[in-house]
Amino acid sequence: MSEPTEGIGDMSIKDEEKQEAGDEDDVVNPWEVATHSATGVDYDKLIKRFGSTKIDDALIQRIEKVTGKPVHHLLRRGKFFSQRDMHMILDMYEQKKPFYLYTGRGPSSDAMHMGHLIPFIFTKWLQDTFDVPLVIQLTDDEKFLWKDLTLEQANHMAIENTKDIIACGFDIEKTFIFSDLNFISNSSAFYRNMCRVQKLVTYNQVKGIFGFGDSDCIGKISFPAIQASPSFSSSFPEIFNGRPDIPCLIPCAIDQDPYFRMTRDVAPRMNYLKPALIHSTFFPALQGAQTKMSASDPNSSIFVTDSDKQIKDKINKFAFSGGGATVEEHKEKGGNCDVDVSYQYLTFFMEDDERLEEIRKTYTSGELLTGFLKKELIEILQKLVGEHRQKRATITDDVVRQFMTPRKLKFDYPPPTPPSEKKKKKKQKSAKAV
Amino acid sequence: MSEPTEGIGDMSIKDEEKQEAGDEDDVVNPWEVATHSATGVDYDKLIKRFGSTKIDDALIQRIEKVTGKPVHHLLRRGKFFSQRDMHMILDMYEQKKPFYLYTGRGPSSDAMHMGHLIPFIFTKWLQDTFDVPLVIQLTDDEKFLWKDLTLEQANHMAIENTKDIIACGFDIEKTFIFSDLNFISNSSAFYRNMCRVQKLVTYNQVKGIFGFGDSDCIGKISFPAIQASPSFSSSFPEIFNGRPDIPCLIPCAIDQDPYFRMTRDVAPRMNYLKPALIHSTFFPALQGAQTKMSASDPNSSIFVTDSDKQIKDKINKFAFSGGGATVEEHKEKGGNCDVDVSYQYLTFFMEDDERLEEIRKTYTSGELLTGFLKKELIEILQKLVGEHRQKRATITDDVVRQFMTPRKLKFDYPPPTPPSEKKKKKKQKSAKAV
């Protein structure tokens, strides 16, 4: 079920970058994404570097076959483009065996932008399609450690972001949202899994995987264990009835993969299953695909709190155009969809495949002007943000509290194998687990 | 109130050892104590190396003056020999301002030995004398990280050790005992202080202070923050009514000082008070003062679970003698109290100063034979262990549960300064705290 070459030894960012010398311009790690290419990061090279597997037509067809419905356009259009162990998850689903979803967010701003919504939009589709539990981690402790924020500020952002996440439409009976600062001091099972991971990963390894240095604080150095722990169902005894063996699927942007390569390496030594993954590309900044949209640069981002006017003004002013310099030049040479940010955004948010293809053709031919393309995008985003704003306004503190309470969800699990049975099974194994 | 040269920059074990070349044989860190000298570690050199202050007659007289009673024999006889900020604590006491005590234990064996009891015997005297709250930390997470133990085994040892600690006679209305594995996942305030410390200490610093290396697991690297956090009253809002400004005094063996040098360095940057310290010497192994008594070598230790016969046999067989090789030689040359382990143990456990002095004189002169000295010690230890055994047998699971429940103790504290007042005060400061 897992790639034979996978392991912590293969995970060094630095080693990989040395190996792939031609790739040196693409920086992809949990804290930075940057490339010199106007068409964005070279994702095929990234798959090779990270050792994951490209999502091919066969996998998409299998998903459509087992679920009996078309896949989400973000999957169909290659926005989710890479995976680990997705076939194992589909095997489980076909055999009517349980699995669960885990995704998360580092709360570094009160308002989320459109790029932040992508994994949640897709995760909601996965939850609706597969009818499984979902846990969402808000790493407010991480943001405290990395940013110039107090614990209280980071925790406040986590709660504000939770409202935006709930507004994406998650089912309260199937979803548990937690902030690390609140939950770790509320769950013995979670803290114990943190300790287990922390015992199995050395400083040398996190140095290699995440590029940490000797001047980094010890909080950063031990943090990866906190992002690893929700990958194990034993971290949530309330949800899984104490079962340590429910497989996990993690939808996330590809820059988070280092955490889960580490997690997949330690899992067998803890007698736990490796989490499966499905990776997305990055949502480009308004200025172009050289960087991802970043909340710290308001002009690079459309926020879910932006007014209709702000959305219109930002797109008209900042969205990088792949069109000609003049109307005449555009009509003659046509537009370049590969670098046009407005077109790229439409591929994320316009659901209608035929309409999107028509826009691509007429923009490429020069028939459709940049202004019309932007107008189309502005309408779609104003509608999407407007609906989000309405939904968010209905979310009371009590609803937030309910989502964030550790509890049984609507799924039932038979209790775990009793210790006596376990011992018999363990005796057959020679490997020693922590 | 604090030594001007103190700081993380001064804390490197390696640097200090380089500096003090003549001292290279004494290894003193939280995980190892060893010397080539039969009289044990050179404590005067250690005070210089660690930058603490020797307990002098003036301090002992001041303690007797402010408390109106003689000091404990462990203090009078130099078993507690070094300190930081003790005068500040006595100032507090004289001004009727509150402080609290914090001590702890790493639970690495089910049974504790006599050496383990020393800090608790002295801490009980401090609590009785000053009438203050006491928190006792059992670092079961530490033992999981360092030893070949499962979390469950380490946690079990913590609970068993708690029974022995309670048997030392601590007042349930003034004492809170906690295991890290149980409490960290039960206390948001504690976890948050852990995060704050973890943000302020770098890998370089823990490498210097504790000698950690690149192959150490990330759990070890971040652990020092867990031993630091009980030094701050804000970690225990139930006990201190949310007050972050109650000073802390830590009685501990000197090998634990690296943790608290680190703690004292970060405290001002957290707007917290530095903890005060009072350090003990090590309790020697039966075989001699070259090493401290260690639970991992049963022949080096008298356990609180040993029978009268085991105590007698171990002392007669293993206790290193400072006496002559034959009765004739002993009568001629006399015994050497400085290296005689039985005599050394008597200095820890025999309360009667006059009787102890008589033994010292007659053993040194050769009049008293080793056998009689050992007989005296055996009687004292059999009585002490016998009483401990009786007390421990009365400690029910319910009593353990009560001691380990986070709760208000019998002390009242006015609430902390309201945020509006704090802001005014903060504005006057320029330093920025985490």
Side-chain angles (χ1 to χ4, degrees):
Chain A
M1 283 197 292
S2 73
E3 305 79 336
T5 59
E6 191 176 47
I8 282 188
D10 302 313
M11 290 195 294
S12 161
I13 287 172
K14 285 182 184 161
D15 286 356
E16 281 155 355
E17 284 183 351
K18 256 182 259 159
Q19 205 181 312
E20 299 265 339
D23 206 21
E24 64 194 9
D25 287 347
D26 284 7
V27 177
V28 178
N29 65 57
W31 302 279
E32 195 185 357
V33 172
T35 175
H36 285 283
S37 165
T39 53
V41 168
D42 185 329
Y43 290 107
D44 284 334
K45 276 194 180 167
L46 207 57
I47 284 175
K48 210 176 146 197
R49 215 167 95 186
F50 281 8
S52 62
T53 305
K54 190 168 182 163
I55 293 178
D56 55 12
D57 289 345
L59 178 61
I60 289 179
Q61 281 161 24
R62 189 176 172 206
I63 296 173
E64 296 196 331
K65 191 175 155 239
V66 303
T67 63
K69 65 181 219 183
V71 297
H72 193 274
H73 66 266
L74 287 171
L75 191 51
R76 201 166 57 232
R77 294 180 193 156
K79 302 304 176 192
F80 280 80
F81 71 104
S82 159
Q83 54 96 7
R84 296 177 188 271
D85 277 346
M86 266 305 289
H87 282 289
M88 180 271 284
I89 292 293
L90 296 174
D91 290 345
M92 292 288 138
Y93 186 70
E94 279 189 320
Q95 295 162 28
K96 300 196 190 308
K97 287 184 183 163
F99 73 94
Y100 73 105
L101 298 166
Y102 154 38
T103 193
R105 155 154 181 78
S108 55
S109 62
D110 272 339
M112 286 167 66
H113 62 55
M114 300 312 295
H116 296 144
L117 290 189
I118 301 297
F120 293 108
I121 289 170
F122 186 67
T123 300
K124 177 174 156 46
W125 178 82
L126 286 172
Q127 185 183 51
D128 291 347
T129 303
F130 291 100
D131 187 31
V132 286
L134 162 66
V135 297
I136 300 174
Q137 178 182 46
L138 290 142
T139 55
D140 42 7
D141 48 359
E142 177 206 2
K143 291 303 166 189
F144 164 75
L145 291 167
W146 261 266
K147 303 260 175 181
D148 186 20
L149 293 172
T150 65
L151 282 168
E152 290 68 26
Q153 287 167 333
N155 191 237
H156 176 79
M157 287 173 181
I159 306 302
E160 287 307 302
N161 288 184
T162 295
K163 294 178 188 166
D164 281 314
I165 293 167
I166 295 171
C168 292
F170 292 106
D171 184 338
I172 199 165
E173 293 192 342
K174 300 180 189 173
T175 309
F176 172 50
I177 307 177
F178 63 99
S179 113
D180 286 343
L181 289 175
N182 296 340
F183 184 59
I184 291 171
S185 54
N186 202 1
S187 168
S188 173
F190 193 92
Y191 180 65
R192 287 173 188 223
N193 275 340
M194 270 171 60
C195 287
R196 290 186 176 102
V197 176
Q198 286 180 349
K199 187 170 179 171
L200 291 173
V201 180
T202 68
Y203 175 71
N204 257 333
Q205 289 167 332
V206 293
K207 200 161 105 175
I209 303 164
F210 301 101
F212 293 153
D214 289 10
S215 317
D216 276 317
C217 72
I218 58 175
K220 287 186 183 180
I221 289 163
S222 60
F223 174 75
I226 298 177
Q227 186 149 336
S229 295
S231 310
F232 309 122
S233 61
S234 61
S235 293
F236 306 100
E238 299 87 353
I239 300 175
F240 300 108
N241 195 19
R243 286 279 294 275
D245 58 345
I246 311 294
C248 175
L249 169 62
I250 304 171
C252 63
I254 188 94
D255 60 336
Q256 300 299 304
D257 190 65
Y259 285 114
F260 303 114
R261 289 207 295 282
M262 182 196 88
T263 309
R264 289 169 62 88
D265 182 82
V266 297
R269 288 187 280 157
M270 299 165 79
N271 271 345
Y272 289 156
L273 296 165
K274 292 180 181 188
L277 286 145
I278 184 160
H279 300 116
S280 77
T281 61
F282 306 110
F283 191 74
L286 280 167
Q287 285 75 8
Q290 287 87 346
T291 55
K292 63 175 183 175
M293 191 173 263
S294 164
S296 52
D297 177 5
N299 289 336
S300 85
S301 301
I302 308 289
F303 291 97
V304 294
T305 47
D306 282 349
S307 67
D308 284 359
K309 187 172 181 304
Q310 283 173 312
I311 293 172
K312 188 181 163 190
D313 290 351
K314 281 190 195 175
I315 289 173
N316 281 333
K317 191 166 174 190
F318 298 118
F320 183 80
S321 168
T326 61
V327 174
E328 290 68 32
E329 192 192 313
H330 184 75
K331 294 221 167 186
E332 192 192 316
K333 297 190 180 168
N336 181 355
C337 284
D338 291 339
V339 300
D340 190 284
V341 167
S342 301
Y343 176 78
Q344 289 300 320
Y345 283 14
L346 285 176
T347 66
F348 279 88
F349 294 115
M350 177 175 266
E351 288 181 28
D352 185 337
D353 284 349
E354 284 177 26
R355 175 91 187 101
L356 184 68
E357 178 56 15
E358 193 191 317
I359 287 171
R360 195 191 61 76
K361 276 190 187 155
T362 51
Y363 187 66
T364 306
S365 72
E367 190 185 328
L368 191 74
L369 294 176
T370 299
F372 289 100
L373 188 68
K374 287 193 171 184
K375 191 168 166 284
E376 192 95 31
L377 175 66
I378 288 165
E379 272 170 30
I380 286 183
L381 289 186
Q382 284 176 340
K383 183 166 175 283
L384 208 145
V385 170
E387 284 170 2
H388 186 91
R389 200 187 297 124
Q390 279 191 329
K391 276 189 226 155
R392 195 188 196 282
T394 67
I395 293 156
T396 62
D397 289 347
D398 191 53
V399 169
V400 172
R401 194 191 50 72
Q402 283 179 53
F403 266 100
M404 298 189 96
T405 301
R407 66 205 190 278
K408 184 186 174 305
L409 301 176
K410 64 167 279 188
F411 304 93
D412 296 309
Y413 300 91
T417 320
S420 58
E421 289 294 308
K422 256 193 202 163
K423 270 184 194 162
K424 279 183 214 161
K425 280 186 189 167
K426 265 195 182 168
K427 273 189 183 166
Q428 294 160 6
K429 290 186 188 177
S430 62
K432 194 172 158 194
V434 175
Chain B
M1 283 195 292
S2 71
E3 304 79 337
T5 59
E6 191 177 46
I8 282 188
D10 303 313
M11 291 195 293
S12 160
I13 288 172
K14 284 181 185 162
D15 287 354
E16 281 154 355
E17 283 181 353
K18 255 183 261 160
Q19 202 182 312
E20 299 268 338
D23 205 22
E24 65 195 7
D25 288 346
D26 283 7
V27 177
V28 178
N29 65 56
W31 303 280
E32 197 185 356
V33 172
T35 174
H36 285 284
S37 165
T39 52
V41 168
D42 185 329
Y43 291 106
D44 285 332
K45 277 194 179 166
L46 209 56
I47 283 175
K48 209 176 146 197
R49 215 167 95 188
F50 282 8
S52 62
T53 305
K54 190 168 180 160
I55 293 177
D56 54 13
D57 290 344
L59 177 61
I60 290 180
Q61 281 161 22
R62 187 174 175 208
I63 296 173
E64 296 196 332
K65 190 176 156 238
V66 303
T67 64
K69 66 182 218 181
V71 297
H72 194 275
H73 66 266
L74 287 171
L75 191 51
R76 201 165 57 229
R77 294 179 193 157
K79 302 304 173 190
F80 280 80
F81 71 105
S82 159
Q83 54 95 8
R84 296 177 188 271
D85 277 346
M86 267 305 290
H87 282 289
M88 180 269 286
I89 292 292
L90 295 174
D91 291 345
M92 293 287 138
Y93 185 71
E94 279 188 321
Q95 295 162 25
K96 300 196 189 309
K97 286 184 183 162
F99 73 94
Y100 73 105
L101 298 166
Y102 154 39
T103 192
R105 157 157 178 74
S108 56
S109 62
D110 273 338
M112 286 166 67
H113 61 55
M114 300 312 294
H116 296 144
L117 290 189
I118 302 298
F120 293 108
I121 290 170
F122 186 66
T123 300
K124 178 176 155 43
W125 179 82
L126 287 171
Q127 185 183 50
D128 291 347
T129 303
F130 291 100
D131 187 32
V132 286
L134 162 66
V135 297
I136 301 174
Q137 177 182 48
L138 291 143
T139 55
D140 42 6
D141 48 359
E142 177 205 2
K143 291 304 166 188
F144 164 75
L145 291 166
W146 261 266
K147 303 260 175 182
D148 186 19
L149 294 172
T150 65
L151 282 168
E152 291 69 26
Q153 287 167 332
N155 190 236
H156 177 79
M157 287 173 182
I159 305 301
E160 286 307 302
N161 287 184
T162 295
K163 294 177 189 167
D164 281 314
I165 292 166
I166 294 171
C168 292
F170 293 107
D171 185 340
I172 198 165
E173 293 191 345
K174 301 180 189 172
T175 309
F176 172 50
I177 307 177
F178 64 99
S179 114
D180 286 343
L181 290 175
N182 295 340
F183 183 58
I184 292 171
S185 53
N186 202 359
S187 168
S188 173
F190 193 92
Y191 180 64
R192 287 174 187 221
N193 274 340
M194 271 171 59
C195 288
R196 288 186 177 102
V197 176
Q198 286 180 348
K199 186 168 180 171
L200 292 173
V201 180
T202 68
Y203 175 71
N204 257 332
Q205 289 167 333
V206 293
K207 200 161 106 176
I209 304 164
F210 301 101
F212 293 152
D214 289 9
S215 316
D216 275 316
C217 71
I218 57 174
K220 288 186 182 180
I221 289 163
S222 60
F223 173 75
I226 298 177
Q227 187 149 334
S229 295
S231 310
F232 309 122
S233 61
S234 61
S235 292
F236 306 100
E238 300 86 354
I239 300 175
F240 299 107
N241 196 19
R243 286 278 294 276
D245 58 346
I246 311 293
C248 175
L249 169 63
I250 305 171
C252 64
I254 188 93
D255 60 336
Q256 300 299 305
D257 189 66
Y259 285 114
F260 303 115
R261 287 206 296 280
M262 182 196 88
T263 308
R264 288 169 62 88
D265 183 81
V266 296
R269 287 186 280 156
M270 299 165 79
N271 270 346
Y272 289 157
L273 295 166
K274 292 181 180 187
L277 286 144
I278 184 160
H279 300 116
S280 77
T281 61
F282 306 111
F283 191 74
L286 279 167
Q287 286 74 9
Q290 287 87 349
T291 55
K292 63 175 182 175
M293 190 174 263
S294 163
S296 51
D297 177 5
N299 289 335
S300 84
S301 301
I302 308 287
F303 291 97
V304 293
T305 48
D306 281 350
S307 67
D308 285 358
K309 188 173 179 308
Q310 283 173 314
I311 292 171
K312 188 181 162 189
D313 290 351
K314 281 190 195 174
I315 289 173
N316 281 331
K317 193 168 172 188
F318 298 119
F320 184 78
S321 168
T326 61
V327 174
E328 289 68 34
E329 193 193 310
H330 184 76
K331 295 223 166 183
E332 193 193 316
K333 297 190 181 170
N336 181 356
C337 284
D338 291 340
V339 300
D340 191 285
V341 166
S342 301
Y343 176 78
Q344 289 300 320
Y345 283 15
L346 285 176
T347 65
F348 281 88
F349 295 114
M350 178 176 264
E351 290 181 25
D352 185 337
D353 284 349
E354 285 177 25
R355 176 90 187 101
L356 184 68
E357 178 57 14
E358 192 192 317
I359 288 171
R360 196 190 61 76
K361 276 189 187 158
T362 51
Y363 188 66
T364 307
S365 72
E367 191 185 328
L368 192 74
L369 294 177
T370 300
F372 289 98
L373 188 67
K374 287 192 171 184
K375 191 168 165 284
E376 192 96 29
L377 176 66
I378 289 163
E379 272 170 29
I380 286 183
L381 290 185
Q382 283 176 341
K383 182 167 174 283
L384 207 145
V385 170
E387 284 170 3
H388 186 90
R389 200 187 298 124
Q390 280 190 330
K391 275 187 226 153
R392 193 187 197 283
T394 67
I395 293 155
T396 61
D397 289 347
D398 191 54
V399 169
V400 172
R401 194 190 50 69
Q402 284 180 51
F403 266 100
M404 298 189 95
T405 301
R407 66 204 190 279
K408 183 184 177 304
L409 301 176
K410 64 167 280 188
F411 304 94
D412 296 309
Y413 301 91
T417 319
S420 58
E421 289 296 309
K422 257 192 199 163
K423 268 184 197 160
K424 278 183 213 159
K425 280 184 191 167
K426 264 194 182 168
K427 272 190 184 165
Q428 295 160 6
K429 288 185 189 177
S430 63
K432 194 171 158 194
V434 175

